[in-house]
Amino acid sequence: MSDEAKPGFVRVRLDLSYDGKDFSGWARQNARRTVQEELEDALRTVTRMPERAELTVAGRTDAGVHARGQVAHVDLPEQVWAEHHDKLLRRLAGRLPHDIRVWRVAAAPPGFNARFSAIWRRYAYRVVDHPAGVDPLLRGHVLWHDWPLDVDAMNAACEPLLGEHDFAAYCRRREGATTIRTLQELRWERGADGVLTATVRADAFCHNMVRSLVGALLFVGDGHRPPEWPGKVLAARVRDSAVHVVRPHGLTLEEVGYPADELLADRNRESRNKRSLPGADGAGCC
């Protein structure tokens, strides 16, 4: 996965959003509808390229998860970019299904990689605890929790989770992948409409991390666990059967952050380094 386009190609950044309801996640899969497949097929059609150009994405969302501020890149032949760049946005709008929109298409700066250049990803998870349930107009993006939630208790439980930790207790392990992440922001806020929004921002996320954290914090909010419990689960570094992975439809990738152009190369190298915690033996990681 190169940080530069090959000679004769232009690296193109795409900013996009999608409703994840009818997708089996981002990544292309056999016999399943995915965001990557729809977008790559649309690009091939509108540019009339003989072969599909593969997209690299900032965050590979799971089935049912939405995105408002997803970022991807694709390397296009210089001739294709020169011919189509000023018409690409409108042509994609005419070809893509209504649950995917590309909002911006532009040549990327040198060293840009949608995945490895990112310095943070920000997700939002939305919940409602009204006894009547969720507004029907929001039902595809908001989880109903059938217990009253204490926002102050949930925010108190967030504090020990912030910073760099091994989040093995909140992640589905993948062979050869580290579960060490830096959680930069985690907080809850109740809006005037009664919807509770968890803002979760980190340098990167491991599989199921956000939905597991939300599941643990909801148990605190409804009084089933004390505010200290999520931090104790984190410190144990093993999955706790009481931590539920909440449903995907409440989760939205809101924004991806990147450094200044002159720092892209340094960030790419840093992102590729496997991490370990001071004093940790690395078991189960890396």
Side-chain angles (χ1 to χ4, degrees), residues 182-263:
T182 301
L183 189 56
Q184 301 163 345
E185 184 178 8
L186 179 61
R187 59 182 174 84
W188 288 87
E189 184 177 6
R190 187 187 293 273
D193 58 359
V195 175
L196 291 87
T197 301
T199 298
V200 193
R201 180 167 57 90
D203 58 345
F205 292 93
C206 44
H207 195 211
N208 287 161
M209 178 174 163
V210 177
R211 290 195 282 145
S212 296
L213 288 170
V214 169
L217 294 169
L218 290 178
F219 261 29
V220 172
D222 64 20
H224 283 88
R225 292 288 189 277
E228 301 80 24
W229 179 66
K232 291 179 179 178
V233 170
L234 175 73
R237 295 175 59 185
V238 294
R239 295 287 291 181
D240 189 316
S241 61
V243 175
H244 297 294
V245 179
V246 292
R247 295 176 63 187
H249 72 277
L251 184 61
T252 302
L253 173 58
E254 296 284 347
E255 188 180 7
V256 181
Y258 293 95
D261 292 354
E262 63 271 17
L263 301 177

Side-chain angles (χ1 to χ4, degrees), residues 48-71:
R48 299 187 292 276
M49 290 189 297
E51 297 181 353
R52 174 174 55 87
E54 185 173 358
L55 287 157
T56 296
V57 72
R60 290 173 51 156
T61 50
D62 290 338
V65 176
H66 316 293
R68 193 189 315 275
Q70 181 68 279
V71 179

